[in-house]
Amino acid sequence: WRKATVRRQGERIVKERAAGRSPDVMRLERDDILGPKYLDVSGCKALRDLEGLDGLKSVKTAVQNLLAVIRTNADLEEEEKPVRNFTLNRVFLGNPGTGKTTVARIYGSILRDLGLLSKGDVVEKLPSDFVGSALGQSQQLTTAILDQTVGCVLVVDEAYGLYPGKNSKDPYKESVIDTIVGKVQGVPGDDRAVLLLGYKEPMEEMMRNANPGLARRFQLQDAWKFEDYDDFALMKLLRAKAQNDYGWSLGLKVAKAAVEVLAKERLKPN
């Protein structure tokens, strides 16, 4: 505590002197002792990366709302008032190719830069990674994955695969959900963020019918919704990727033809 205070005081004094002021070296200010009241996000590269992505308006708004809660809590804490609870765990709803995994990686970097996660690494898993084939194995696998991802963002893609269906029974999958409910509390100070990714309808069905604790920990009303890109956005993305990854300069005619093929694929069942 003393070392951190002295370091922050020294940094402040150097800045003030550089600005032409004459700070009192014997004076301790609030930020010297407690650290900055507000998080400085101006140097957060991950936030700039998110803003640089095409589309994703609702997701960008959700991240700004999270930052607003953090700022509000800083004011409430200083006034010795109860802070607003928030969870780092999220549900991502959307079709493949809408940016869910890309945003999950950026989200991990943002949480690390804000000091909300100790590591910020992103660990990607599928339902099959959690489900065992013998009694008790699903619980062991799930517990091991959760223990290994402390400080990280755990991404479960196609998470609805953990739900056997309304009229089906699968004790191995049920054990995974029960273990997640038991170990992922979503309380302040949790050093892990769990993201459940998937299509809207099967994810909603799982939340309605699986262990009720799952819906309390991963609230659908706060889900981040990833909309399909329109044809213009797809053409822009395709041309940029071709140029950046392969050095190809795609003409509008070629890009339009490629997007028309993608549009036909979009109409097929998932």
Side-chain angles (χ1 to χ4, degrees):
W1 173 81
R2 289 180 181 175
K3 288 182 180 179
T5 298
V6 171
R7 175 180 55 78
R8 286 191 288 260
Q9 182 199 34
E11 291 172 351
R12 174 179 59 79
I13 289 172
V14 169
K15 287 180 180 178
E16 290 185 9
R17 284 176 173 169
R21 297 192 290 271
S22 301
D24 183 352
V25 297
M26 300 302 292
R27 175 185 172 85
L28 284 175
E29 298 188 356
R30 177 218 175 270
D31 287 4
D32 298 336
I33 301 170
L34 300 177
K37 179 178 177 180
Y38 300 117
L39 292 167
D40 181 7
V41 300
S42 60
C44 182
K45 179 179 179 297
L47 275 173
R48 294 197 299 272
D49 290 343
L50 178 63
E51 289 300 322
L53 295 176
D54 286 310
L56 303 175
K57 182 179 179 181
S58 64
V59 172
K60 294 173 183 176
T61 299
V63 170
Q64 291 302 319
N65 290 341
L66 173 62
L67 295 176
V69 170
I70 294 171
R71 286 192 292 269
T72 299
N73 280 349
D75 290 331
L76 293 172
E77 196 171 46
E78 190 155 283
E79 295 167 8
E80 298 185 357
K81 295 179 180 179
V83 298
R84 292 174 56 185
N85 289 332
F86 65 92
T87 177
L88 303 181
N89 306 314
R90 289 281 181 268
V91 177
F92 284 13
L93 301 178
N95 291 325
T98 50
K100 297 189 298 298
T101 304
T102 299
V103 170
R105 296 189 184 110
I106 293 175
Y107 183 57
S109 298
I110 292 171
L111 296 181
R112 180 195 59 223
D113 293 348
L114 297 181
L116 298 175
L117 287 180
S118 58
K119 299 177 184 175
D121 298 337
V122 175
V123 179
E124 299 173 30
K125 297 290 183 181
L126 293 170
S128 57
D129 296 317
F130 296 83
V131 180
S133 56
L135 192 64
Q137 196 174 50
S138 291
Q139 182 181 2
Q140 293 172 0
L141 289 170
T142 304
T143 299
I145 290 172
L146 292 173
D147 289 346
Q148 291 162 7
T149 52
V150 171
C152 305
V153 176
L154 171 59
V155 176
V156 186
D157 203 2
E158 300 178 358
Y160 50 82
L162 295 172
Y163 174 61
K166 187 175 181 180
N167 300 315
S168 303
K169 284 286 185 182
D170 187 329
Y172 305 118
K173 291 184 177 181
E174 289 173 2
S175 178
V176 174
I177 292 179
D178 292 345
T179 304
I180 290 174
V181 169
K183 290 188 170 293
V184 179
Q185 298 299 318
V187 296
D190 270 3
D191 192 17
R192 184 198 300 112
V194 181
L195 308 182
L196 303 183
L197 280 54
Y199 300 122
K200 182 174 183 290
E201 290 78 11
M203 290 293 286
E204 289 177 342
E205 182 184 355
M206 179 175 71
M207 293 298 176
R208 282 195 304 267
N209 300 311
N211 184 323
L214 191 68
R216 289 195 294 270
R217 285 156 179 76
F218 299 89
Q219 299 185 0
L220 276 177
Q221 65 264 31
D222 296 325
W224 291 8
K225 298 177 176 64
F226 291 74
E227 305 296 337
D228 289 342
Y229 290 103
D230 60 26
D231 288 352
F232 177 77
L234 280 175
M235 286 177 62
K236 186 177 177 182
L237 286 169
L238 180 63
R239 297 183 75 191
K241 187 167 182 62
Q243 182 64 53
N244 294 335
D245 292 0
Y246 304 103
W248 299 344
S249 180
L250 293 185
L252 284 174
K253 199 169 183 180
V254 174
K256 184 178 179 181
V259 167
E260 287 173 354
V261 172
L262 290 173
K264 291 177 182 177
E265 290 296 318
R266 259 202 317 245
L267 295 175
K268 294 180 181 180
N270 293 327

